[in-house]
Amino acid sequence: MTHEGRLFGVPAWLREDSDAQVTGSPKIPALHLWCMAVDLVLEIAAAFVQEDRTLESPITLGKRIAP
């Protein structure tokens, strides 16, 4: 992992991959359950969003982790 940050509002270690993909590893065990819940809410919300709009995942890259 290369950065500290937040994944759906929960502290996590993150790595920015190619094509603007972000991989995360939780700092707390509950992150997996929280991500499943947020993903479900985003899926439901996507059904009601107009076609010309997008939903952005709330992922925040923080400071870089020292090597």
Side-chain angles (χ1 to χ4, degrees), residues 7-37:
L7 187 60
F8 304 119
V10 178
W13 292 289
L14 304 171
R15 179 182 71 223
E16 191 172 19
D17 299 327
S18 61
D19 300 328
Q21 296 290 323
V22 176
T23 303
S25 179
K27 287 186 176 182
I28 60 171
L31 180 60
H32 295 293
L33 294 175
W34 179 247
C35 287
M36 286 176 21

Side-chain angles (χ1 to χ4, degrees), residues 46-55:
F48 299 101
V49 172
Q50 298 172 354
E51 290 182 16
D52 61 342
R53 297 191 62 197
T54 59
L55 287 175

